Amino acid sequence: MAFFAKGRIFVAAAVAALGLATGAQAAGSCGNNGAGFDAWKQEFAAEARANGVGQRGLSALAGATYATRTIAADRAIHKAFSGSVEAFMKRRGGAAIISKGRALKKSNAAMFDRIEQTYGVPPGVLLAIWGMETGFGASMGNQNTVSAILTLAYDCRRPDYFTPHAIAALKLVDRGALSASSVGAMHGEIGHTQFLPGNVLKYGVGSGNLRDRNTALASTANFLKGHGWQAGASYEANMSAIAGWNSASVYQQAIARIAEEIDGN
């Protein structure tokens, strides 16, 4: 979800954090429909190559198509985060997330203990994010990841935000963590907890395969730690770390409330 800055990466920070060449920015000819996408891809290929993308990534770029469903979802994204936190939690099934989250916490206690010992992040917030993002892995998306993120890098609305993530996605193809046919959420998010590609490069642990549950949860804990999570502190004290995940206020409040209910059981 780029929209409200999931794992917010602003342009200058992204360039440094993701290892892009100094001055990297969106290719010049953005567009508001698919008419110029193929021409833009040729421009972007030069930028990708200059930033270290190899042949596998460039081939994935060449085969990408304009993602009309992604654009439709992007234009409607603000509606998803409207209203009160209570209304938001009801729409997103907060009560069900709490109930299943408590059960998963118990049945996977050893895994969550290891994660907390390593990163200082308790299970409640990880389960809240996991449940909110994909229904605990039940719905990780069916939109082509490379096409989605490249379409958003091309689109005139926020090309500077998405360009580093597009470069990162192509690098993940080079590494084998993604393929040209990999699918995920509408904005190019990946795996159980829906990482944007640049955040996979920066915070992904182990294999970096975010479709693996354990890897995704550990990577999410690493992300929160990287955004200032204070081990042992309250959720109120850690709201800035949650805000790093998603800057929508109703989302942050919902995650904190759900996490407290799960950890309180």
Side-chain angles (χ1 to χ4, degrees):
M1 287 184 184
F3 38 92
F4 275 99
K6 164 159 318 171
R8 180 176 298 183
I9 298 183
F10 292 104
V11 181
V15 168
L18 305 184
L20 303 184
T22 302
Q25 58 184 1
S29 55
C30 70
N32 294 311
N33 56 52
F37 187 61
D38 286 341
W40 175 88
K41 286 196 303 177
Q42 294 179 27
E43 296 177 28
F44 195 70
E47 183 175 344
R49 198 177 292 111
N51 282 287
V53 174
Q55 191 53 52
R56 290 172 70 181
L58 293 171
S59 294
L61 167 61
T65 58
Y66 184 75
T68 54
R69 291 193 301 145
T70 287
I71 294 300
D74 185 65
R75 300 299 185 258
I77 196 66
H78 286 271
K79 295 179 182 178
F81 295 95
S82 62
S84 67
V85 63
E86 291 79 11
F88 178 75
M89 288 179 66
K90 186 174 182 179
R91 289 198 305 270
R92 300 295 285 265
I97 292 172
I98 291 166
S99 178
K100 187 164 184 179
R102 287 171 172 169
L104 286 168
K105 177 183 173 181
K106 291 177 181 177
S107 61
N108 296 276
M111 177 189 67
F112 284 114
D113 285 347
R114 286 194 301 272
I115 291 174
E116 186 165 10
Q117 288 169 15
T118 303
Y119 302 102
V121 178
V125 67
L126 302 178
L127 285 156
I129 289 171
W130 187 19
M132 186 76 76
E133 294 291 346
T134 66
F136 303 104
S139 180
M140 289 189 275
N142 60 8
Q143 173 67 28
N144 183 276
T145 298
V146 172
S147 291
I149 206 73
L150 286 169
T151 296
L152 291 165
Y154 159 74
D155 185 59
C156 289
R157 197 152 94 88
R158 284 159 307 183
D160 287 343
Y161 178 88
F162 282 105
T163 292
H165 290 296
I167 296 289
L170 300 179
K171 288 184 175 182
L172 290 171
V173 172
D174 282 334
R175 297 181 182 189
L178 285 177
S179 73
S181 60
S182 292
V183 296
M186 283 296 174
H187 285 78
E189 306 99 323
I190 301 164
H192 279 266
T193 55
Q194 303 287 270
F195 269 56
L196 285 167
N199 292 331
V200 178
L201 283 183
K202 188 172 182 182
Y203 298 105
V205 302
S207 67
N209 175 15
L210 276 295
R211 294 186 74 86
D212 173 73
R213 179 196 66 175
N214 293 19
T215 301
L217 293 170
S219 298
T220 304
N222 190 39
F223 179 100
L224 292 170
K225 180 181 179 182
H227 283 74
W229 188 273
Q230 302 174 53
S234 67
Y235 280 107
E236 182 178 357
N238 278 305
M239 287 301 286
S240 61
I242 297 173
W245 185 265
N246 190 303
S247 64
S249 177
V250 290
Y251 185 103
Q252 296 164 23
Q253 294 175 64
I255 290 297
R257 290 189 190 185
I258 291 169
E260 286 175 346
E261 290 289 337
I262 293 172
D263 281 340
N265 180 258

